[in-house]
Amino acid sequence: MNHFPFAAVLHAGNSEGDALIRQFCAQLQASGWKIRGLLPLRGKDPQGHLPMLISDIRDGRSFAISQALGPGSHACSLDPGALAQASGMLREALHERPDLVIVNRFGAVEAAGRGFASEMLALMSEGIPLLTLVSPQYQADWQRFVGTDDCLLPLSEEALLSWADALPRGMEQNA
């Protein structure tokens, strides 16, 4: 069991974990948790017609984080400008010191030290609990990123709630 204030939910590499993370966030908020960060709204469109979307937990504002590259392109469609804009929500969370920060994914760009990697490291270094999703493809990168193998949760509500129950909240994390 993960006893760290950071974790990644291991999912199959598609959007199967998105609804669970959104539900988990809503459930904790209903219990009085102060949660910030970015929730996944729509994953990768196999046809490349619809942008990937994430939303700011605080105000619901959505960000299209991918760009249309054309029908023959096999390049990464993530939009660096949109990621930079969305990363501002994570930097704000660092100053607010919420009970939990959710980051929509740890993927290829974070594994390469870009995307939301700097913000995630800053949050973790301040002891602010962090949760994200990771696919098996980037599992080893995530484990290297956080420096431990014991940082994964199964894709289940029970596992998420058990992990959250062990987290420090509010003033406890600042002591």
Side-chain angles (χ1 to χ4, degrees):
M1 179 66 179
N2 179 340
H3 300 287
F4 294 98
F6 50 85
V9 176
L10 190 59
H11 69 103
N14 52 36
S15 58
E16 71 177 336
D18 295 357
L20 177 65
I21 293 294
R22 288 191 302 268
Q23 175 187 349
F24 173 70
C25 178
Q27 188 172 357
L28 291 184
Q29 285 177 314
S31 296
W33 285 60
K34 182 179 176 183
I35 302 177
R36 296 293 183 257
L38 302 165
L39 287 173
L41 288 180
R42 181 175 55 220
K44 190 176 280 189
D45 173 20
Q47 289 77 36
H49 300 221
L50 300 172
M52 289 182 275
L53 296 175
I54 57 176
S55 69
D56 179 5
I57 292 171
R58 182 183 19 202
D59 63 15
R61 182 173 27 152
S62 65
F63 297 88
I65 58 168
S66 62
Q67 53 192 336
L69 298 178
S73 177
H74 296 289
C76 178
S77 65
L78 285 174
D79 181 345
L83 288 175
Q85 183 182 10
S87 70
M89 306 307 104
L90 301 178
R91 288 189 300 279
E92 287 176 17
L94 182 64
H95 298 292
E96 290 180 27
R97 301 196 66 83
D99 297 318
L100 175 65
V101 175
I102 297 175
V103 179
N104 62 303
R105 291 273 185 289
F106 179 90
V109 292
E110 288 77 23
R114 297 185 310 271
F116 301 136
S118 294
E119 290 80 6
M120 293 171 82
L121 287 171
L123 288 159
M124 289 185 294
S125 72
E126 288 294 318
I128 300 171
L130 181 118
L131 180 69
T132 191
L133 288 160
V134 69
S135 68
Q137 181 179 1
Y138 301 107
Q139 176 180 341
D141 295 308
W142 166 252
Q143 291 168 317
R144 277 190 297 277
F145 184 75
V146 296
T148 182
D149 291 345
D150 185 24
C151 54
L152 296 169
L153 298 173
L155 187 64
S156 82
E157 180 181 10
E158 181 180 318
L160 284 169
L161 292 173
S162 177
W163 175 75
D165 282 344
L167 291 176
R169 289 198 45 215
M171 293 305 291
E172 296 173 39
Q173 71 182 350
N174 297 323

